[in-house]
Amino acid sequence: MSFTIRELTQAFQQLGIRDMPVIAHASYKSFGGVDGGPQTVVDAMLASFASVIMPTHTYKTMVTPQVGPRHNGIDYERWYPHSLNAEFYDPDMPSDPLMGIIPETLRRQTGAKRSSHPILSFSGVCADDILATQTLDNPLAPIRKLVELDGWVVLMGVNHTVNTSIHCAEKMTGRKQFLRWALTKDGIIACPGFPGCSAGFDDLAPDVEIFTRKVRAGNATIRAVPLRGLFAVVFERLKRDPKDLVCGDIGCERCNEIRYL
Ligand SMILES: [Zn+2]
């Protein structure tokens, strides 16, 4: 049986964060069927929260030079040939399929705006001031702005490995960021402040459990986590161990820059 907008809106209301600004991450498939498709999820979010942003990153624009700075979490020889498949950044290009169908639906929503980063853009509705904080040098600034506004992160059928906000918190602790490059109509642009790997982030789920709010919607679990609480947990864990929250893959190029500091 399919889930309706009424049921979904009720589920969001049960989170008790009505009229708060949120950053959302979602797996559409996790719901197991929604009447009206992904648009229903977007409509329910817009009816329930003050502002909604989602990552609409465009990894297809990424290019890798043959040589570059050392300790940059990238094997230049390995990635350089992939540059041949890069696409020129365009503000209207779809978000990467990795992001899922819901961010792309939000991006195409009437009234939605998209921030300007050629790789790490966010799209949102009623979030112009949040999106406007992003710069080429500070791609995660919209999340910092959400923290100032007492915002929340909403995870729909996904875990903390897709929780972009953790990247913002780890950056604030001084954790290493990387340099990447994007193909644009103005040439190849250097994009500093590129975050590390997020595959190890779900390890902090038990630490944020105490202030995480949960509801069921269809087959999905929706979790809402206050950004200030989440940031405090990341700060504490990285203070205790600056190599914490890396992934378990011993071949991970970015995690190894942190693991072997
Ligand atoms: Zn990793």
Side-chain angles (χ1 to χ4, degrees):
M1 206 182 79
S2 226
F3 208 59
T4 65
I5 187 161
R6 185 182 161 83
E7 289 167 309
L8 191 51
T9 308
Q10 280 172 350
F12 287 142
Q13 279 175 3
Q14 282 167 24
L15 293 170
I17 54 169
R18 193 174 165 75
D19 299 328
M20 300 301 287
V22 305
I23 177 167
H25 305 275
S27 157
Y28 175 66
K29 285 185 190 145
S30 72
F31 290 104
V34 182
D35 270 2
Q39 184 64 50
T40 296
V41 181
V42 169
D43 289 342
M45 285 197 294
L46 298 181
S48 303
F49 307 119
S51 313
V52 179
I53 69 166
M54 297 186 87
T56 46
H57 301 349
T58 48
Y59 301 119
K60 280 182 192 164
T61 64
M62 293 177 78
V63 288
T64 307
Q66 267 178 305
V67 287
R70 296 181 66 213
H71 298 297
N72 191 27
I74 194 164
D75 180 341
Y76 294 99
E77 253 176 61
R78 179 178 161 214
W79 288 103
Y80 170 71
H82 292 274
S83 301
L84 290 172
N85 303 323
E87 290 180 19
F88 283 90
Y89 170 72
D90 184 289
D92 294 324
M93 76 196 301
S95 58
D96 194 279
L98 272 178
M99 311 268 109
I101 185 71
I102 296 178
E104 177 59 11
T105 307
L106 178 71
R107 183 187 75 79
R108 296 168 68 150
Q109 177 76 22
T110 305
K113 294 262 170 65
R114 184 187 217 171
S115 65
S116 57
H117 197 283
I119 307 170
L120 301 174
S121 70
F122 295 87
S123 293
V125 172
C126 297
D128 296 7
D129 54 336
I130 297 165
L131 297 170
T133 59
Q134 191 182 51
T135 62
L136 199 58
D137 290 349
N138 197 357
L140 301 174
I143 295 168
R144 184 82 184 263
K145 180 72 179 174
L146 273 176
V147 177
E148 286 169 24
L149 297 170
D150 284 327
W152 289 63
V153 54
V154 176
L155 302 170
M156 294 177 256
V158 289
N159 66 21
H160 290 283
T161 59
V162 300
N163 187 348
T164 313
S165 300
I166 297 171
H167 285 308
C168 182
E170 61 175 0
K171 180 184 180 180
M172 286 169 72
T173 70
R175 179 168 264 190
K176 185 173 179 60
Q177 305 289 292
F178 300 96
L179 181 63
R180 293 294 181 266
W181 294 266
L183 182 62
T184 78
K185 284 162 189 160
D186 299 322
I188 291 173
I189 287 183
C191 302
F194 198 87
C197 159
S198 58
F201 286 175
D202 206 42
D203 196 54
L204 57 61
D207 299 18
V208 298
E209 181 78 21
I210 191 165
F211 47 78
T212 296
R213 299 183 185 174
K214 275 188 209 173
V215 291
R216 291 285 294 180
N219 294 337
T221 299
I222 303 180
R223 289 183 285 175
V225 187
L227 284 169
R228 283 187 196 271
L230 175 69
F231 274 47
V233 164
V234 176
F235 293 163
E236 181 59 33
R237 284 189 61 147
L238 296 188
K239 191 174 148 195
R240 220 182 307 144
D241 176 9
K243 299 179 181 182
D244 200 1
L245 298 177
V246 293
C247 79
D249 174 6
I250 55 162
C252 180
E253 293 167 334
R254 283 176 293 170
C255 286
N256 282 347
E257 292 296 342
I258 293 159
R259 219 184 320 259
Y260 305 121
L261 263 181

